[in-house]
Amino acid sequence: MSTNKTGFQAARWNEALISELSEEGARGIVPPAVDAEIAAAVGDVAASLPPGARRAAPPDLPEVTQHRVLRHFLRLSQMCMGFDVTTDMMGTCTMKYSPKAHEHIARGAKLADLHPLQGVDSLQGLLELMYRFNRIMCEISGMDEFTFQPASGAQGIYTNACLIRAYHESRGDLGKRDEIITTSFSHPADAATPAVAGFKVITLMPGEMGFAGVDALKAAISDRTAGLMLTNPEDTGQYNPNIRQFVDLVHEAGGLCAYDQANGNPLLGVVRAGDTGFDMCQFNLHKTFSAPHGSLGMGCAAVGVKDFLRKFLPRPLVAEDGSGGYRLDYDQGEGIDKIRAFIGNVHAVLKAYSWVMSLGAEGLRAVAETAVLNNNYMLTKMRGMRGVTIPWPANNYPKLEQVRYSFEQMFAETGVTSHDVIDRMVDFGVQHCMPSHVPMLVPEPFTVEPGESLTVAEMDQMLAALQAISDEAYSDAEKAQGGPYNASTTRIDGDVPEDPDCWAFTYRGYQRKKPMWTSENRRKIERHDGGY
Amino acid sequence: MSDDNGFIHPYVPNAAPVPLRRLLKEIGVDNVTDLYVSVPEELQVKGLLNLPDALPSEHDLRRHVEAIIGKNLSCRDHLNFCGAGCWQHYVPAICDEITGRGEFLTAYGGGTYSDHGKNQAMFEFQSLIGELVGLEVVGTPSYDMGAAVNSAVTMACRITARRGVLLSGAVSGDMRSQISGFTKMVADVDTIALDAASGLIDLDDLKSKLTSDIGAVYFENPNYFGLIESRGAEIAEIVHAAGALLVVGVDPLSLGVLAAPGDYGADIVCGQIQPLGIHMYGGGGCAGFIASRDEERFVSEYPMILMSIAPGAEEGDFGFAWSTMQRTSYDKRHDSEDYAGTTQWLWGIGAAVYLSLMGPRGMEEVASGILQRTRYAAERINELKGISVAHLDSAFFKEFIIDFADSGKSVAEVNAALLVNGIFGGKDLSGEFPEFGQSALYCVTEIHGKKDIDRLVDSLAEVLS
Amino acid sequence: MTFRLGLIVNPIAGMGGTVGLKGSDTPEIVARARELGAEPQAPERAGQALGAIVAANVALDLFAAPGEMGEAEARAAGFTPKVIGSPVEGDTVAEDSVRAAQAMAELPVDLILFAGGDGTARDLVRAIGGQVPVVGIPAGVKMHSAVYATNPRAAARMVLRYMQGGISIRELEVMDIDEAAFREGAVSAKLYGYLKVPYLPGLVQGTKAGGVSRDRTALAGIAARIAEAMEPGRLYILGPGTTMRAVADKIGVEKTLLGVDLVRDGERIATDAGERDILAALDGTATIAVTPIGGQGHFFGRGNQQISAQIISRVGLEHITVAATMEKIASLRDNLLHVDTGDRALDARFSGWRRVITGYHTDTVCRVST
């Protein structure tokens, strides 16, 4: 049926839900046996629990034999396009190779089987690792101290917002300074987390160059300005060259500046947050620093601050103990409340540390420059693709790290949308690109971020897939709009997850609500055609 | 990288001279530095960063890093009795197999058609947790338990349009800190006093604090000290009568035996994921979840991604999609009351594997066995001179408090001495709960056999003598 | 259930344009246009859109207004339409359109596809308001309304996408241009009403791409912010539009959607006020709260001329609140706001950057162009 060039067909196991694989009496694993003496000494403790505490009936979990569980989840893994198996240029995600060596080190007992509270004397290796990486991140960013407590970029940015809040609170200014300025193309978390931290948010819209101008910032600054939180380069791949002026203007007004380095890959060894004047920053270790993305998590954020903000960092901090070892400083002082349990996703820290140690300073620079090189190669080729336009034509600068393209012209001429392209491209054996975060200011957006890991052949593979789809859009639009054809599942009824009468988030819910899916009485769903 | 030698490294193929030159030519520039024209000169680093010498050889790198972490003592070769929010449980081999699969490990934002397997695994996580807690809606994983509690109590406040939150006094200091920080601007948090005798929440104090301003009441079951609450239904009634919502925090590993909070009236349940087949990773294994009934007024307040099942094009086909993203900060941006992002989905997948392996019998046996081992340990320890176990006559799961008051020794001293014997002692509570004096929170799980517990008892005896 | 599509064609729309006449509403203009050799535009445009729908080979039930108001075009394209609403001898096209639309809304159809100009859009507002979503095939000369697709093919695409699902609906403004003034070369627009239009960025005229911020939350936030800031004794001049209606809802008063209402101390003291009424009420402190027209970006001078230059001057620029959802801000051409108060000097004082309220605790800044 399909004529895609690669002949790719995703695994389609039609693997049933695990709850449907249940067979009475099957066991997947037997828990450790209770010593006979213990059982004799204490008896059946469960049976003597007060009635209100005891479960009425066993949980309705499936009973599945061991190898079938393995097979089930292995099959599911085969229907998943991780970076390990295919080219992934998902914009804003900074997909890159997560070296296996680092995985293997992290899975050893000396990291995987550590308890965070087992006593500092027994965690010297861990603390040393964190301390060393702290120093490395300071050198990379121009900051003076790092914490790795936040478990994701969004949580790292939230930490920045809390630090800004603590700073102004310590000066008695919090009532007066209640506004954070951000931009429309910074990550949604740059607007969301200051709002959660209690700030008013002023969002600057892009000018004709695709980024906010200095005059827009000046209009937004006032004596209520608490700070600036933004991403640069932004999600469109455009670097705002006025960034230093932005920072200076906010400082003059008495605000602090937080640099969301989610798009920091092209700047490693090239530009430092500290040199740009920022007071604090955050990096995604699971993006830029190669820790694996983990199917949307094992995230970790490295949040760095200048010296004067060190006292506000959440506790504990890793410090030298004065006799050649390390300790955890739990002294709360002016530290902000804890952002996350314990000291952070240390496995991500280990992988990030290993990655930097493998590359060194020259390698880090090569990573940044190659990411930009690859990005502009993709740009050069995609520019010529029929139906593709680059927004903000006034901005002629090469783009860093990623490019937000537009399929507006293709849509006007053929009716094929960027979502159609996204759905169709998986037929070519590549992970799909992301359209855009909200607000989707660019019509029919399509954001491509090759990163530095891919070979020329892999980039050409992606280009060939997109070219094939473009050709198809102009010759057989209906075909282009009907994908995917060779994916792990057939096209779904997208209204069901949006309809309160139909959605189901558990097997229980699914069994109860499934009849509604085919009912005549289904309501018409007003959907938002977002980026997902 | 502007000289013709480029840079050779296994992680950056196009930095090598041949592809570098080819790409430069295709783009039409002479140097990579030409691509940075949008970045002002004065902001750019001159030369290279001052970083440690590179170790491009995998062998050399491994030696280096493993030498550093080799200085750790692990819970594999030491006997660990520390819990308090992160616990040592057995991680089945198949859990490690699946969480180690490259496809899952390195997937990210793929959707309905590219990451069907990840989506199904996540839906199954939601489903199996739902069975344990007795509720039909479960969200994708939160950053940790504290984040789950934060999301849950603020949801409850939004749903009831009230500002007040009552927290059980039996939650960890760390969690109180997380909650304080997050709710600062939107809720008024107060603590429910504990009954000194039982260690559980004082119902009279709860009733006295349940004004019409209270939106959420939170307690954990088992609580931070391991104590089991059996008055769940009664508490739910009291809370609901005041127009508030009941939020209960659980250790799902207990729910093979303990009552499902959804069954006794909890409106929102929060829980830990780490006990379900996830290594501790020094705290990195932590993750949380929230769950509720399937009502629009609840679902619309979930801050995280929700994975819904949906029918496919042919009979019997199904797929999955992220539902109603307009609930989340991805869409709401500055209108957000909570925030979402990359969390800990891989651990959710691991938990799905764990629950699939364990089944109802496994979950019942592991919980039942932990109850027995904990009781055995507590009773033996209580017999030692100079120390006592708090609330020995109450029901507790996995953890209990040892009071060292009569021993004349501090917890720190005891733990240092235990360490010499290859044992990690329980968490020192003296700073967190000064009213308990020199007390420690000890944790016994299914990995502890009689020999291990006896060894602890003997070591304690030795240390205390 | 098979999708039900309604079809209404205004056969005389656009006739004036081809022979240099603005508009073709009145019988005189139509006759003049025919004399000059004008041909009907709308049927051909409708045919293009229908052809694209037929080519997609989707299952739908087509309900057409009778004769050359849809039935003929549908048959020509290859459909077998059900005819709805019988024509009444001597009625104008406008009255027949209204009747057909009402009948379609009653069935109900899922979507009405219509070909015409601004006049046809106004007919639909009168007939059905927001009862059924509509997609417009542009065929008239006065295309001020943002409810029209960019071209017939785009209109067809919109219909097909709507059938597939996964598409939002939003309320878009329908403007009422003063015909006489317009033919004299002056532009004077009033806000006539709203239609519900399926929304896909790039397809609808005058809108760039839209943000997908949750409109309800944003509107509620804007409303709460403005309502909570209201001072006792102060006069509030609330402009037209759904944003100001949300403010009124929050305070608990009724609000004319298309007119200016006056509020003081939580009470509505004037309904659909004209300039004189506003001036009469202006005897102390006052605030004007307005929202820009989506796409065009005017917050004075289109649809709210009652708030005259004199009133604006007396209230003072610093007491003017401009509010809009981020989605509307994103729809503005070049992110610009506009004013056209009729007083050039006053307009000039607006130029520069202005804060715009976009939510309960969120703002943006926009440049005002004159």
Side-chain angles (χ1 to χ4, degrees):
Chain A
M1 265 196 331
S2 94
T3 54
N4 71 76
K5 289 180 181 178
T6 60
F8 174 78
Q9 169 65 57
R12 191 183 281 192
W13 285 105
N14 292 316
E15 181 69 8
L17 297 170
I18 189 78
S19 302
E20 291 168 340
L21 296 175
S22 187
E23 305 255 2
E24 202 180 322
R27 298 284 307 257
I29 193 167
V30 178
V34 176
D35 296 72
E37 292 108 315
I38 290 183
V42 300
D44 185 351
V45 179
S48 60
L49 286 174
R54 189 80 218 257
R55 191 169 191 105
D60 196 5
L61 296 172
E63 299 174 82
V64 187
T65 197
Q66 188 172 116
H67 86 270
R68 191 61 186 87
V69 174
L70 175 67
R71 196 173 277 185
H72 175 78
F73 286 98
L74 281 180
R75 288 177 177 179
L76 295 186
S77 76
Q78 290 189 348
M79 298 190 286
C80 188
M81 285 183 163
F83 184 93
D84 269 5
V85 294
T86 194
T87 299
D88 184 342
M89 296 193 190
M90 203 170 293
T92 80
C93 298
T94 312
M95 305 306 296
K96 62 174 69 186
Y97 174 52
S98 298
K100 289 301 169 193
H102 312 166
E103 279 306 306
H104 283 233
I105 302 169
R107 286 183 212 165
K110 296 283 188 173
L111 194 78
D113 296 320
L114 299 178
H115 190 285
L117 303 172
Q118 67 184 47
V120 166
D121 289 340
S122 64
L123 292 174
Q124 285 297 302
L126 176 64
L127 299 184
E128 181 182 336
L129 179 77
M130 294 180 77
Y131 186 84
R132 283 181 185 238
F133 192 57
N134 191 340
R135 303 273 67 79
I136 283 173
M137 289 305 293
C138 290
E139 173 63 16
I140 290 174
S141 64
M143 294 289 132
D144 298 319
E145 184 78 34
F146 269 82
T147 175
F148 307 112
Q149 195 179 113
S152 78
Q155 200 165 67
I157 299 161
Y158 174 67
T159 306
N160 283 347
C162 291
L163 290 168
I164 294 175
R165 185 173 73 188
Y167 172 81
H168 290 300
E169 197 168 17
S170 76
R171 297 159 68 89
D173 283 344
L174 196 59
K176 194 179 71 126
R177 290 187 178 278
D178 61 353
E179 295 184 353
I180 293 282
I181 301 169
T182 186
T183 67
S184 62
F185 287 132
S186 294
H187 190 279
D190 291 307
T193 63
V196 173
F199 288 105
K200 283 172 62 165
V201 177
I202 305 177
T203 303
L204 304 181
M205 303 296 279
E208 61 156 16
M209 291 288 278
F211 48 75
V214 175
D215 44 357
L217 177 69
K218 283 181 179 165
I221 286 177
S222 71
D223 58 8
R224 303 204 73 86
T225 300
L228 174 73
M229 294 177 63
L230 49 55
T231 322
N232 192 34
E234 292 186 301
D235 285 354
T236 50
Q238 298 179 143
Y239 186 85
N240 186 339
N242 302 313
I243 189 71
R244 182 75 220 215
Q245 205 180 349
F246 268 50
V247 169
D248 290 342
L249 284 166
V250 172
H251 279 156
E252 267 165 43
L256 293 185
C257 299
Y259 200 163
D260 177 359
Q261 293 272 45
N263 296 331
N265 203 40
L267 301 178
L268 293 172
V270 180
V271 178
R272 308 195 321 161
D275 299 341
T276 316
F278 281 89
D279 307 294
M280 64 185 90
C281 69
Q282 82 87 29
F283 287 89
N284 305 53
L285 297 189
H286 55 284
K287 290 185 180 179
T288 312
F289 285 85
S290 90
H293 292 74
S295 285
L296 269 190
M298 322 154 99
C300 183
V303 167
V305 299
K306 286 281 179 139
D307 212 18
F308 74 99
L309 294 171
R310 188 191 249 119
K311 60 183 172 173
F312 298 115
L313 285 173
R315 305 301 195 253
L317 296 173
V318 177
E320 288 173 296
D321 70 1
S323 37
Y326 303 90
R327 65 188 186 88
L328 283 171
D329 180 1
Y330 282 98
D331 181 15
Q332 186 61 29
E334 288 180 81
I336 61 175
D337 286 303
K338 279 191 77 69
I339 297 293
R340 186 173 179 259
F342 307 117
I343 48 179
N345 280 346
V346 302
H347 44 292
V349 172
L350 182 144
K351 293 169 197 177
Y353 173 77
S354 302
W355 186 75
V356 174
M357 289 302 293
S358 177
L359 286 160
E362 202 187 342
L364 228 54
R365 182 112 197 179
V367 163
E369 293 178 347
T370 307
V372 176
L373 189 72
N374 287 349
N375 191 40
N376 284 280
Y377 175 70
M378 292 296 294
L379 174 58
T380 304
K381 295 291 187 179
M382 289 205 48
R383 232 185 200 126
M385 209 173 276
R386 195 170 173 201
V388 174
T389 51
I390 321 290
W392 298 291
N395 186 333
N396 277 327
Y397 293 125
K399 315 275 184 251
L400 304 184
E401 191 62 19
Q402 63 200 313
V403 179
R404 182 155 297 158
Y405 301 91
S406 173
F407 282 116
E408 175 176 37
Q409 188 177 343
M410 180 187 289
F411 175 64
E413 292 174 343
T414 69
V416 176
T417 65
S418 78
H419 271 99
D420 293 332
V421 175
I422 284 168
D423 283 347
R424 183 73 172 100
M425 60 194 286
V426 305
D427 285 330
F428 294 82
V430 294
Q431 178 59 274
H432 64 71
C433 294
M434 78 97 81
S436 164
H437 276 303
V438 165
M440 298 181 49
L441 301 182
V442 172
E444 300 309 320
F446 191 74
T447 312
V448 182
E449 183 180 358
E452 80 282 1
S453 296
L454 302 174
T455 63
V456 179
E458 286 170 330
M459 292 197 287
D460 287 344
Q461 176 203 18
M462 176 65 84
L463 290 165
L466 295 175
Q467 184 63 60
I469 297 172
S470 168
D471 292 342
E472 192 176 81
Y474 283 92
S475 60
D476 187 354
E478 204 190 320
K479 180 90 190 288
Q481 289 183 288
Y485 301 101
N486 306 327
S488 302
T489 180
T490 53
R491 285 184 67 117
I492 62 165
D493 177 349
D495 279 355
V496 163
E498 303 297 311
D499 180 351
D501 294 331
C502 293
W503 66 40
F505 308 111
T506 58
Y507 184 65
R508 257 196 207 197
Y510 164 60
Q511 287 176 297
R512 181 172 65 83
K513 294 167 92 166
K514 199 173 167 200
M516 196 59 190
W517 294 358
T518 44
S519 160
E520 290 267 296
N521 300 321
R522 271 178 63 179
R523 56 173 108 173
K524 180 109 210 133
I525 290 304
E526 175 183 323
R527 279 183 44 200
H528 93 117
D529 200 7
Y532 312 99
Chain B
M1 212 175 75
S2 44
D3 72 342
D4 277 341
N5 292 332
F7 180 79
I8 307 288
H9 192 284
Y11 303 163
V12 200
N14 294 345
V18 168
L20 167 61
R21 257 177 270 139
R22 176 178 156 192
L23 292 176
L24 287 171
K25 184 153 166 269
E26 294 268 9
I27 297 167
V29 295
D30 294 324
N31 276 311
V32 178
T33 45
D34 296 345
L35 299 173
Y36 281 96
V37 291
S38 60
V39 182
E41 266 295 316
E42 61 270 20
L43 292 181
Q44 294 192 33
V45 171
K46 308 291 177 272
L48 295 175
L49 293 174
N50 180 17
L51 292 175
D53 290 341
L55 296 168
S57 150
E58 188 174 304
H59 167 269
D60 298 344
L61 176 74
R62 278 192 87 148
R63 273 193 80 164
H64 167 79
V65 180
E66 282 171 350
I68 297 173
I69 60 172
K71 299 173 193 173
N72 292 330
L73 304 179
S74 86
C75 297
R76 196 73 76 81
D77 47 44
H78 283 66
L79 195 53
N80 169 44
F81 292 97
C82 205
C86 183
W87 303 273
Q88 187 176 356
H89 291 286
Y90 179 66
V91 178
I94 289 178
C95 290
D96 281 338
E97 278 289 316
I98 300 301
T99 56
R101 287 297 297 186
E103 296 93 330
F104 284 144
L105 192 62
T106 64
Y108 197 43
T112 299
Y113 302 113
S114 61
D115 283 357
H116 174 74
K118 170 190 93 189
N119 296 340
Q120 183 166 338
M122 194 42 56
F123 177 81
E124 292 175 355
F125 160 77
Q126 291 171 179
S127 299
L128 301 179
I129 294 287
E131 287 308 326
L132 285 178
V133 302
L135 292 166
E136 254 186 40
V137 176
V138 180
T140 54
S142 300
Y143 302 104
D144 63 359
M145 180 67 166
V149 176
N150 275 331
S151 291
V153 300
T154 51
M155 270 168 70
C157 286
R158 292 194 298 275
I159 293 168
T160 56
R162 297 173 173 192
R163 276 188 64 100
V165 176
L166 293 178
L167 295 181
S168 157
V171 304
S172 76
D174 280 358
M175 181 162 315
R176 267 180 289 153
S177 175
Q178 275 183 275
I179 296 173
S180 165
F182 186 80
T183 61
K184 209 175 272 237
M185 312 302 282
V186 296
D188 308 312
V189 180
D190 198 0
T191 306
I192 309 167
L194 301 175
D195 177 276
S198 69
L200 301 167
I201 57 177
D202 178 336
L203 290 196
D204 290 329
D205 192 59
L206 169 63
K207 285 176 195 163
S208 76
K209 287 176 170 147
L210 258 177
T211 65
S212 57
D213 284 332
I214 301 297
V217 173
Y218 176 72
F219 73 86
E220 291 175 349
N221 197 6
N223 70 16
Y224 181 52
F225 313 128
L227 296 166
I228 297 171
E229 178 62 75
S230 60
R231 304 164 299 171
E234 191 187 344
I235 296 170
E237 249 186 76
I238 295 168
V239 169
H240 291 150
L245 294 178
L246 179 61
V247 181
V248 178
V250 296
D251 175 349
L253 200 61
S254 70
L255 294 178
V257 165
L258 294 192
D263 291 346
Y264 59 72
D267 300 293
I268 305 176
V269 174
C270 315
Q272 300 269 4
I273 292 177
Q274 185 268 321
L276 302 176
I278 309 300
H279 291 275
M280 294 183 290
Y281 277 111
C286 288
F289 67 82
I290 64 174
S292 75
R293 291 188 298 281
D294 188 354
E295 290 170 25
E296 218 179 322
R297 68 186 180 128
F298 281 92
V299 174
S300 65
E301 297 295 341
Y302 274 65
M304 68 277 294
I305 296 171
L306 290 173
M307 189 72 70
S308 175
I309 192 169
E314 284 151 42
E315 180 68 37
D317 285 359
F318 57 79
F320 305 90
W322 298 359
S323 160
T324 51
M325 289 301 285
Q326 62 268 33
R327 293 170 293 102
T328 72
S329 61
Y330 286 106
D331 278 17
K332 283 158 83 158
R333 290 186 68 105
H334 49 242
D335 289 321
S336 306
E337 303 105 343
D338 199 337
Y339 61 92
T342 303
T343 55
Q344 304 276 73
W345 284 35
L346 192 67
W347 297 156
I349 293 176
V353 177
Y354 183 83
L355 293 173
S356 304
L357 287 169
M358 292 287 273
R361 301 252 305 273
M363 291 301 282
E364 195 268 319
E365 284 171 20
V366 76
S368 180
I370 288 175
L371 282 167
Q372 290 176 304
R373 293 178 183 86
T374 319
R375 172 131 306 264
Y376 173 76
E379 286 184 353
R380 283 219 62 202
I381 288 168
N382 195 55
E383 284 165 2
L384 293 174
K385 238 171 52 133
I387 59 177
S388 61
V389 171
H391 312 295
L392 188 62
D393 295 330
S394 302
F396 44 85
F397 177 82
K398 195 159 80 172
E399 291 179 287
F400 52 88
I401 296 175
I402 301 178
D403 185 352
F404 290 90
D406 295 335
S407 73
K409 292 211 189 298
S410 69
V411 174
E413 283 177 271
V414 172
N415 281 356
L418 286 175
L419 183 59
V420 172
N421 286 344
I423 297 175
F424 298 144
K427 183 185 185 187
D428 189 342
L429 293 178
S430 61
E432 209 178 345
F433 289 90
E435 62 269 36
F436 295 168
Q438 288 300 315
S439 293
L441 188 62
Y442 271 72
C443 168
V444 174
T445 74
E446 81 282 13
I447 62 141
H448 296 112
K450 177 174 181 293
K451 279 210 196 84
D452 302 311
I453 298 170
D454 290 347
R455 186 176 144 203
L456 170 65
V457 173
D458 294 340
S459 292
L460 280 172
E462 192 191 311
V463 165
L464 296 170
S465 63
Chain C
M1 230 179 63
T2 319
F3 191 85
R4 292 168 157 181
L5 180 67
L7 176 69
I8 299 175
V9 178
N10 178 347
I12 58 173
M15 280 185 68
T18 55
V19 290
L21 298 175
K22 284 185 189 169
S24 53
D25 294 83
T26 64
E28 291 78 25
I29 300 281
V30 175
R32 182 88 190 101
R34 282 219 155 91
E35 273 169 35
L36 294 171
E39 297 289 330
Q41 298 286 312
E44 203 237 316
R45 300 281 175 88
Q48 282 175 36
L50 291 169
I53 295 174
V54 165
N57 204 21
V58 290
L60 57 82
D61 286 335
L62 187 64
F63 295 84
E68 52 174 6
M69 287 186 60
E71 182 188 352
E73 291 85 354
R75 288 194 202 284
F79 284 101
T80 312
K82 300 184 174 67
V83 180
I84 189 163
S86 8
V88 172
E89 191 64 44
D91 264 1
T92 63
V93 168
E95 283 158 349
D96 284 338
S97 301
V98 167
R99 190 173 308 108
Q102 283 171 339
M104 289 175 187
E106 241 156 87
L107 257 177
V109 299
D110 295 303
L111 181 73
I112 294 178
L113 177 64
F114 70 99
D118 283 337
T120 323
R122 287 197 295 277
D123 296 337
L124 286 168
V125 169
R126 254 187 7 260
I128 58 167
Q131 280 178 68
V132 179
V134 304
V135 172
I137 303 165
V141 124
K142 306 168 295 184
M143 305 308 311
H144 296 286
S145 226
V147 302
Y148 283 94
T150 41
N151 56 57
R153 266 195 75 86
R157 285 292 140 209
M158 184 86 94
V159 172
L160 294 166
R161 277 310 289 261
Y162 185 75
M163 289 175 69
Q164 267 176 35
I167 194 164
S168 290
I169 303 281
R170 58 189 201 159
E171 288 185 291
L172 289 184
E173 294 95 347
V174 174
M175 304 302 289
D176 181 8
I177 306 284
D178 179 328
E179 308 298 339
F182 190 74
R183 278 193 285 280
E184 247 114 77
V187 179
S188 166
K190 207 177 91 170
L191 182 60
Y192 193 80
Y194 289 84
L195 286 175
K196 285 213 166 98
V197 182
Y199 144 62
L200 200 58
L203 263 182
V204 180
Q205 197 170 254
T207 61
K208 246 157 131 176
V212 281
S213 61
R214 196 176 174 206
D215 225 34
R216 258 172 294 154
T217 304
L219 272 184
I222 292 171
R225 169 118 161 245
I226 294 177
E228 282 169 29
M230 286 186 168
E231 295 161 17
R234 191 180 192 89
L235 177 70
Y236 288 85
I237 303 164
L238 302 183
T242 47
T243 311
M244 291 306 136
R245 183 178 58 186
V247 174
D249 283 346
K250 184 71 188 171
I251 319 168
V253 301
E254 302 269 308
K255 171 86 178 51
T256 30
L257 181 60
L258 307 175
V260 176
D261 291 0
L262 305 181
V263 169
R264 181 187 272 129
D265 292 320
E267 303 277 322
R268 180 163 67 165
I269 61 169
T271 303
D272 198 8
E275 185 187 358
R276 248 181 300 169
D277 305 315
I278 302 172
L279 281 166
L282 254 186
D283 59 354
T285 55
T287 291
I288 300 171
V290 284
T291 186
I293 303 286
Q296 307 170 2
H298 281 81
F299 62 92
F300 283 128
R302 295 284 181 278
N304 59 11
Q305 291 87 332
Q306 316 87 306
I307 310 177
S308 65
Q310 191 184 359
I311 293 168
I312 295 167
S313 299
R314 276 190 41 192
V315 169
L317 263 64
E318 67 276 25
H319 296 302
I320 294 170
T321 297
V322 180
T325 61
M326 280 297 271
E327 190 171 357
K328 190 181 282 189
I329 298 294
S331 78
L332 300 179
R333 285 185 212 103
D334 302 321
N335 198 40
L336 286 175
L337 293 177
H338 295 266
V339 291
D340 182 8
T341 63
D343 176 343
R344 294 307 217 155
L346 178 62
D347 288 350
R349 285 171 56 202
F350 275 102
S351 80
W353 290 83
R354 169 164 282 273
R355 278 244 186 155
V356 177
I357 293 177
T358 55
Y360 187 65
H361 51 191
T362 70
D363 289 347
T364 189
V365 290
C366 285
R367 201 149 54 88
V368 182
S369 163
T370 54

